[in-house]
Amino acid sequence: MNDALKSYIERYTELELGMRELINRKGNSLCAQCSCVCCDVVMCVEGVKSPFLKLVHQQTDEFDEKKGFLSATGCVLEKGRPSVCYEYFCDDHFYHQPDEPHAEVLKIIGALLYHATRDVEGDVSLDEITTREELERLDLRPFESPLRESLRALEIIRVFYRDGSLSADDQTALKRIRIAKEFQSES
Ligand code: SF4
Ligand code: SF4
């Protein structure tokens, strides 16, 4: 693996694990107790179709044709889940948020991977790269600033959850995070 890709994957993994920590915090962790999980093998398949995600999780051999990555205790992937797995929150999540800013912040957390895996113009997505060779040849420089913006947003949200502060600069930084069209109006 080339150095630029290796470095990108390390920071992407840091982002994903940080997001998971925020999603699993008290008040956001409904999925852990859910009796009707919305995981679907159609979504899991993205995790084996994408050479990028395969490099992140390195668990392709755990994919099952019928169950995908879902086991009796939840998803077996610690990292490298398709971004859609984080982007969707059912209405219950928004119902349990204390106010509108918390609901907005939750949507932004879910979008951090989506944002980081699209180049600065939004023209190229790492999900669309279908071969390892293409991935190795890809110029990752246009993805650097979206990844940095997602990591910065992660830090802002950590502080917001800790002490409720969200300065005007923080709000501007959060607004930079692109949310996929299909998830923009859920709240
Ligand atoms: S998003 Fe909602 S329906 Fe899906 S697993 Fe979480 S709590 Fe269950
Ligand atoms: S969270 Fe895991 S099991 Fe659920 S849809 Fe995503 S990859 Fe599949």
Side-chain angles (χ1 to χ4, degrees):
M1 188 189 317
N2 71 54
D3 287 348
L5 184 57
K6 188 165 179 258
S7 161
Y8 181 91
I9 285 179
E10 278 168 9
R11 287 170 294 145
Y12 178 91
T13 301
E14 180 196 328
L15 174 66
E16 183 171 358
L17 296 181
M19 280 173 66
R20 286 181 49 122
E21 220 178 282
L22 297 183
I23 287 173
N24 292 332
R25 72 190 283 279
K26 198 164 171 275
N28 287 346
S29 61
L30 299 177
C31 303
Q33 296 103 45
C34 183
S35 57
C36 184
V37 291
C38 56
C39 289
D40 189 302
V41 70
V42 173
M43 284 147 64
C44 305
V45 163
E46 298 300 316
V48 286
K49 274 194 346 205
S50 158
F52 172 70
L53 292 177
K54 280 161 72 174
L55 280 177
V56 177
H57 59 66
Q58 300 189 24
Q59 287 177 255
T60 306
D61 50 352
E62 294 184 52
F63 179 81
D64 177 273
E65 290 296 332
K66 288 202 177 107
K67 296 182 187 157
F69 288 112
L70 190 61
S71 74
T73 52
C75 180
V76 298
L77 297 181
E78 187 73 12
K79 55 189 178 155
R81 293 181 186 180
S83 62
V84 67
C85 304
Y86 298 105
E87 289 172 280
Y88 174 73
F89 295 101
C90 64
D91 291 346
D92 271 6
H93 282 88
F94 295 106
Y95 177 78
H96 285 95
Q97 295 304 308
D99 52 31
E100 191 55 30
H102 280 81
E104 284 303 314
V105 159
L106 186 63
K107 263 190 276 184
I108 292 167
I109 297 172
L112 295 179
L113 294 185
Y114 174 88
H115 181 74
T117 49
R118 264 128 198 102
D119 71 346
V120 73
E121 302 292 343
D123 293 336
V124 183
S125 151
L126 289 179
D127 305 344
E128 290 161 9
I129 309 293
T130 54
T131 67
R132 172 75 186 265
E133 293 69 29
E134 203 188 334
L135 187 61
E136 291 279 357
R137 280 198 309 268
L138 185 71
D139 178 3
L140 283 166
R141 283 173 297 182
F143 295 82
E144 283 294 327
S145 121
L147 177 59
R148 273 199 306 274
E149 286 166 355
S150 281
L151 284 163
R152 165 97 179 101
L154 180 74
E155 206 41 55
I156 290 170
I157 297 169
R158 277 194 182 121
V159 174
F160 172 69
Y161 277 152
R162 209 162 46 228
D163 63 20
S165 68
L166 206 51
S167 69
D169 281 354
D170 292 343
Q171 289 180 38
T172 305
L174 294 187
K175 281 200 184 103
R176 288 205 186 94
I177 304 302
R178 298 162 290 189
I179 299 176
K181 276 198 191 82
E182 58 270 40
F183 299 111
Q184 282 176 7
S185 58
E186 282 174 25
S187 69

